[in-house]
Amino acid sequence: MTRPARPATAADVATRAGVSRATVSHILNGREERFPEETRTRVRAAAEALDYRPSPAGRGLVTGRSDTIVVVMPETTIGQNLQNALERLGDDAAGMGSNVVLRFAGTDAERTVTALLGLRPLAVVDFGSLDRAARSRLAAQGVPTVPDLTGARRGRLHEPQKEIAELQVAELTKRGDRQIVYASVSDRRPDPYGPARYAGVAAACERRGLATPLSVPVPVDLEPAVKVLRELPSGVPLGVAAYNDQVALAVLAAAARLRRTVPDDLTVVGVDATDVGQLWTPRLTTIAVDMGTFVNDVMVELAAALGRRMPRRRTGGGQMLQVVAGDTT
């Protein structure tokens, strides 16, 4: 009878590399500084040849933790910016010998933390969902939570919303003063970033002596979007600061149906700089958001918290926020 195949073990790697199992464990689990480069290379080559992967279950029995880093996000619609951030986090975590899973936070913080602890995570990356009590409970169980969002550093996730709003209002009013409208996302999911964005739009309007901005949810669906736009003030030029490019395109489609001229009667600025916004006619003016800087900061904190070597640091590609000029302003 043919014996069934089995996955390679640390003992197999040790035998092939001519080292001890302890050496294999140290090198493949991020504690390699004490070993010569030649030994590290030999162990990695043996592991690759055998297609060996350290056992999360076995490591969990020893350390009380898995190799999983849990990203906790508000239960909201994921746009391109957040998608890019998640991809970067996954790639960089792999460089630290870990994997990333995504979990949406529920409305009950206690239940969310209980579920997280059940996963025995190596660490938690919080996109603004966990309060101080939740973070303290995780810390008490030896689970670091990054980034540090206490005090002034909390602005990492929320200050960009105000900066985006400032750029949007500046673009919307290039042709003169207008009634500004904040077009939020219309979705069954809550919008955790919308209040900060609207507050930024309101502050930008106040600084310019403009009327208090309106706030309306805009469905990404033509007929409902037409209904929303029809109910906005007529006879005055409007400037729409959209939650993202999808919402902006819904506004533009509704404007075309209602024969509102862009940009004379209606100016529109989106967020995300998606390809589809640049294919629209008139081409959408939007705000490009580079999450690279944020992810780099998170990974530095994570490596420090775990006592691991930082993976190759990547640049964020320049400014975090940048106006992509189009024809809608």
Side-chain angles (χ1 to χ4, degrees):
M1 177 181 294
T2 302
R3 299 181 64 181
R6 64 169 179 82
T9 66
D12 297 328
V13 176
T15 298
R16 187 181 183 97
V19 298
S20 69
R21 288 184 60 180
T23 298
V24 170
S25 177
H26 284 302
I27 291 175
L28 297 184
N29 287 309
R31 300 182 299 274
E32 58 185 25
E33 292 79 6
R34 69 187 73 176
F35 300 98
E37 182 59 36
E38 186 273 334
T39 302
R40 300 181 216 172
T41 300
R42 211 164 66 242
V43 168
R44 292 195 196 100
E48 183 176 355
L50 295 171
D51 200 16
Y52 170 73
R53 299 291 182 275
S55 167
R59 188 179 301 175
L61 288 174
V62 174
T63 65
R65 301 181 188 178
S66 69
D67 283 334
T68 300
I69 297 168
V70 181
V71 175
V72 183
M73 300 187 68
E75 191 176 356
T76 187
T77 302
I78 295 183
Q80 180 173 308
N81 293 330
L82 293 179
Q83 178 70 31
N84 290 342
L86 289 171
E87 290 175 359
R88 285 282 299 269
L89 282 169
D91 289 345
D92 289 347
M96 294 172 59
S98 301
N99 62 86
V100 167
V101 299
L102 171 64
R103 191 188 195 283
F104 289 105
T107 56
D108 187 327
E110 282 295 307
R111 290 184 62 183
T112 297
V113 175
T114 298
L116 290 174
L117 291 174
L119 296 173
R120 295 182 177 272
L122 183 65
V124 170
V125 176
D126 175 28
F127 273 70
S129 302
L130 302 178
D131 58 19
R132 189 186 300 271
R135 285 169 167 255
S136 296
R137 187 177 167 196
L138 289 168
Q141 296 297 318
V143 180
T145 304
V146 297
D148 179 0
L149 295 178
T150 59
R153 300 181 75 180
R154 187 171 178 81
R156 283 181 171 176
L157 283 177
H158 297 278
E159 285 302 321
Q161 306 304 324
K162 297 179 182 179
E163 295 170 11
I164 289 170
E166 174 63 34
L167 290 174
Q168 286 183 304
V169 173
E171 284 295 309
L172 292 170
T173 56
K174 285 197 308 185
R175 294 172 175 264
D177 292 350
R178 293 172 177 264
Q179 171 63 62
I180 302 299
V181 179
Y182 172 61
S184 61
V185 63
S186 178
D187 194 282
R188 64 176 179 80
R189 304 175 185 89
D191 174 14
Y193 308 119
R197 182 81 62 81
Y198 176 76
V201 170
C205 288
E206 183 178 5
R207 283 192 295 273
R208 290 169 172 78
L210 301 176
T212 301
L214 305 175
S215 180
V216 294
V218 177
V220 185
D221 190 347
L222 181 57
E223 295 305 330
V226 167
K227 183 176 184 296
V228 170
L229 191 58
R230 184 182 285 123
E231 293 173 354
L232 291 177
S234 59
V236 296
L238 300 178
V240 178
Y243 174 78
N244 60 17
D245 283 3
Q246 281 188 299
V247 173
L249 290 175
V251 170
L252 290 173
R257 172 70 67 85
L258 296 174
R259 300 183 185 278
R260 299 198 71 158
T261 59
V262 178
D264 295 329
D265 181 40
L266 180 73
T267 53
V268 182
V269 178
V271 177
D272 278 350
T274 58
D275 293 340
V276 67
Q278 302 306 295
L279 295 174
W280 185 269
T281 302
R283 188 165 55 90
L284 178 64
T285 299
T286 184
I287 309 298
V289 183
D290 184 352
M291 295 293 286
T293 299
F294 172 76
V295 173
N296 282 339
D297 289 347
V298 167
M299 292 308 299
V300 168
E301 287 190 39
L302 189 60
L306 298 175
R308 294 193 177 186
R309 188 174 65 175
M310 175 69 186
R312 180 176 60 89
R313 188 176 179 86
R314 296 188 288 179
T315 64
Q319 295 179 326
M320 184 172 181
L321 302 177
Q322 188 172 6
V323 175
V324 178
D327 304 315
T328 59
T329 56

